[in-house]
Amino acid sequence: MTEQDIQYMTQAVLFAEKGIGKTSPNPAVGAVLVQNGKIIGKGYHKKAGTAHAEILAIRNALSHGFDPKGATLYVTLEPCCHFGKTPPCTDALLKYGIKDVVMGSVDPFPKVHGKGRDALQRGGVSVSVLSKQSPLFQDILSLNQQYLKWADTGLPYVTLKAGMSLDGKIATRAGESKWITSEKARTDARLERSRADAVLIGAGTVRSDDPVLAAHGAYKKKDMLRVILDPRLSLPTTHHVFRDEHVFVATTNRASEKDKERFEKAGIVFKSFGPTRISLKRLLQYLGKEDIQHVFVEGGSGTHGYFVDDVRLDSLMIDRVLFYVEPILLGGDGAVPVVGGHGRKYVKNAVHLSQTSVQDIGGTLKITGYVNRYD
């Protein structure tokens, strides 16, 4: 791939980034159409059920009076070749006479995987795929980590998020937690949450904080699913998280018939995932089947510990860790730790993070690390 190819693919990546958090269950995809060394069309997938990036790039070219015949398409992901909510993109590329297609990566979704490339080649289109050694390859993978995991395993991508003091506390010994981190950090965390399909918290956090868990910023009209872990269905149904139909409660067989009737009467959907303990694996499998590709876990201490403890059994329980660390010390054995649960007995069994990064957000340190990477 030439330096010019890299430049055009970089533009496609930048367009794809505009769709992150808005396209589920579809991937975020960007495309640019090039003719005679000039970009004549560009586009990115904006929402599931609407035109894909390749189609928008063609439409963009046509709207400016350009004939896309003989052009080269740079697209971050393999064009689809099947009928879903929209027609196959491969058909449109052949119809408009696209001569060359440069793909960032092959689509892992079984209905597309390699089939889009083959359909184009049968139609006489020259197709190439970005090399894994390319400096852009990791950027392209980063666009759709949640989609890549879901397409390969059926499980949603899991981000574990928390705001804490420098000594790892999320609340004082009196239970006070508002506000440990800076306002800018909280705004950043809300935007991170808003890119996910679902936010998950435990019943204890609902009781203590009565959070709203809404989407924010450019995503404020997004209907995120709120997933609540409530093993006994013990929560009052008057909490903010139960304000509309975009809520789901994971419970166990310990829930009484009286409480089941109470939740049913309130119109709250719930399901048991175990006799006495919620099986996170079964819950994630269920959410994956409901096209939830990214779950944002944000509390509290017990819920975090629940996920971290289960990493011992299945490394797919957590994929990314996102901690906002405020340079203050709360101290005290009675203060609430960021990760509860049983914990590790030996250091050698710790959950290891890779590709860690640190960013200053309003004086709060935003630390990001990864347990898993998908390609």
Side-chain angles (χ1 to χ4, degrees):
M1 184 172 286
T2 68
E3 185 176 334
Q4 197 171 38
D5 289 331
I6 294 295
Q7 290 176 353
Y8 293 135
M9 186 61 79
T10 298
Q11 290 298 310
V13 170
L14 292 174
F15 282 116
E17 288 175 348
K18 295 181 178 182
I20 291 177
K22 302 174 183 177
T23 63
S24 184
N26 292 346
V29 181
V32 297
L33 204 55
V34 177
Q35 194 175 68
N36 299 322
K38 177 183 178 181
I39 294 178
I40 63 170
K42 54 192 177 184
Y44 69 95
H45 187 42
K46 299 177 181 178
K47 185 179 180 180
T50 64
H52 291 187
E54 304 93 315
I55 306 304
L56 291 176
I58 290 174
R59 289 178 183 173
N60 183 243
L62 293 171
S63 70
H64 288 88
F66 294 105
D67 181 356
K69 185 176 181 179
T72 298
L73 177 75
Y74 293 84
V75 61
T76 55
L77 193 68
E78 179 180 11
C80 70
C81 54
H82 67 289
F83 280 90
K85 292 183 179 179
T86 59
C89 289
T90 51
D91 288 358
L93 298 179
L94 294 173
K95 173 184 175 182
Y96 284 98
I98 304 303
K99 182 181 178 183
D100 302 283
V101 171
V102 182
M103 307 186 319
S105 65
V106 174
D107 192 330
F109 191 60
K111 289 185 178 180
V112 182
H113 189 67
K115 299 180 179 68
R117 174 189 56 201
D118 294 345
L120 291 172
Q121 289 177 333
R122 285 195 301 270
V125 178
S126 174
V127 182
S128 59
V129 183
L130 192 69
S131 167
K132 290 186 177 182
Q133 282 69 49
S134 168
L136 269 182
F137 185 70
Q138 291 302 320
D139 291 337
I140 288 174
L141 291 184
S142 295
L143 290 170
N144 292 299
Q145 283 293 290
Q146 70 284 354
Y147 174 76
L148 295 174
K149 179 184 180 182
W150 175 79
D152 184 47
T153 68
L155 299 172
Y157 189 83
V158 177
T159 292
L160 187 73
K161 172 265 173 183
M164 74 198 77
S165 63
L166 190 60
D167 52 345
K169 311 296 185 181
I170 62 172
T172 68
R173 60 186 175 87
E176 185 181 81
S177 61
K178 295 182 179 179
W179 295 104
I180 290 178
T181 56
S182 67
E183 183 177 350
K184 287 185 177 180
R186 297 197 301 274
T187 298
D188 186 82
R190 291 180 184 123
L191 289 176
E192 287 277 6
R193 172 211 295 159
S194 301
R195 295 186 181 103
D197 301 319
V199 55
L200 184 151
I201 63 172
T205 301
V206 175
R207 284 193 188 90
S208 61
D209 296 347
D210 193 21
V212 176
L213 301 181
H216 289 259
Y219 306 89
K220 63 183 178 181
K221 293 183 179 180
K222 181 178 178 179
D223 293 322
M224 294 180 60
L225 181 67
R226 302 178 297 280
V227 181
I228 314 300
L229 304 185
D230 187 359
R232 294 180 180 271
L233 290 185
S234 59
L235 285 169
T237 59
T238 52
H239 282 290
H240 282 109
V241 292
F242 299 124
R243 64 187 176 276
D244 57 33
E245 71 276 16
H246 302 293
V247 63
F248 175 76
V249 180
T251 188
T252 68
N253 297 347
R254 295 160 65 193
S256 69
E257 291 301 319
K258 181 179 179 180
D259 284 320
K260 289 180 183 178
E261 291 174 6
R262 183 169 60 89
F263 271 65
E264 287 172 352
K265 186 176 180 180
I268 300 168
V269 178
F270 62 88
K271 182 177 174 62
S272 174
F273 292 93
T276 59
R277 183 179 187 273
I278 296 170
S279 167
L280 292 179
K281 183 65 173 286
R282 287 175 55 190
L283 171 58
L284 292 178
Q285 287 172 335
Y286 172 84
L287 294 174
K289 290 177 181 177
E290 296 295 312
D291 288 344
I292 298 296
Q293 292 183 4
H294 186 183
V295 176
F296 199 79
V297 180
E298 56 173 299
S301 176
T303 299
H304 292 158
Y306 209 179
F307 275 84
V308 172
D309 285 346
D310 273 16
V311 173
R312 292 179 299 176
L313 307 174
D314 191 334
S315 64
L316 298 178
M317 289 299 100
I318 300 174
D319 299 297
R320 181 176 68 141
V321 173
L322 181 61
F323 281 175
Y324 293 85
V325 182
E326 191 72 15
I328 60 173
L329 302 175
L330 294 179
D333 292 336
V336 183
V338 62
V339 179
H342 298 295
R344 294 295 191 271
K345 188 174 182 180
Y346 303 107
V347 174
K348 66 180 182 180
N349 295 328
V351 178
H352 290 274
L353 307 181
S354 62
Q355 295 178 301
T356 54
S357 63
V358 181
Q359 182 181 1
D360 188 322
I361 306 289
T364 305
L365 300 180
K366 178 183 181 180
I367 302 176
T368 307
Y370 298 87
V371 178
N372 296 304
R373 185 76 175 171
Y374 302 95
D375 54 27

